[in-house]
Amino acid sequence: MIALACDHTGIEMKKEIMKLLDGMGLEWKDFGVNEAVSCDYPIYGYRAAKAVADGECDHAILICGTGIGIGIAASKVKGVRVCTCSDVYSAELSKRHNNSNILTMGARVVGVDLAKMIATHWLTAEFEGGRHQRRIDMIAAIENGEEL
Ligand code: RB5
């Protein structure tokens, strides 16, 4: 299950991502927003990120104007690993090396076709484990207040 959320800038792009996921046979759950009225991205980023942290969803794709604000908000939820991407290479590597579980994109930064390509690469890439797992464990340790 993929959590989806956006602010007022990302509604059209989110609809396109919904269609992409439908085409890939992937289920999604929408955490809003769906009215093109100025709103606060932390609310929706938080709700979708919490669904990932709680295990209700496996991944999330979040959209705001830059992808940055909603990404910062989502990354405050313990247990998630957020990547904000505007290129395919970073998106794919963020999964293979960082096991990212939340992708954020900027509706004012990337076009819809590129966003769909980024999402496709991100969703289909697989975590490689090994030395990368050790580093992810270190990130979790930081999150738990441990010293490195
Ligand atoms: C909204 O104007 C804009 O600030 C928001 O979509 C996002 O880009 C914040 O990071």
Side-chain angles (χ1 to χ4, degrees), residues 3 9 28 37 47 75-76 82 84 98 100 110 116-118:
T9 69
W28 48 266
V37 176
R47 290 177 184 169
S75 68
K76 298 299 177 190
V82 178
T84 299
N98 316 118
S100 59
V110 295
K116 286 160 72 177
M117 219 178 272
I118 289 168

Side-chain angles (χ1 to χ4, degrees), residues 21-130:
L21 297 180
D22 288 341
M24 294 173 81
L26 296 172
E27 288 187 310
W28 48 266
K29 180 172 178 179
D30 183 19
F31 288 83
V33 66
N34 286 297
E35 280 178 45
V37 176
S38 182
C39 68
D40 300 324
Y41 57 78
I43 298 169
Y44 308 98
Y46 163 73
R47 290 177 184 169
K50 187 155 190 312
V52 173
D54 290 349
E56 181 190 355
C57 294
D58 310 300
H59 296 93
I61 298 177
L62 314 178
I63 303 160
C64 68
T66 58
I68 294 172
I70 204 161
I72 292 172
S75 68
K76 298 299 177 190
V77 175
K78 190 174 174 181
V80 302
R81 290 175 299 281
V82 178
C83 63
T84 299
C85 294
S86 51
D87 71 277
V88 166
Y89 179 81
S90 303
E92 184 174 323
L93 268 289
S94 80
K95 181 71 83 62
R96 285 169 51 189
H97 288 189
N98 316 118
N99 204 14
S100 59
N101 50 16
I102 297 184
L103 167 67
T104 78
M105 295 185 285
R108 292 171 175 165
V109 179
V110 295
V112 166
D113 280 357
L114 178 55
K116 286 160 72 177
M117 219 178 272
I118 289 168
T120 301
H121 278 256
W122 184 70
L123 287 163
T124 54
E126 288 188 13
F127 180 51
E128 292 173 7

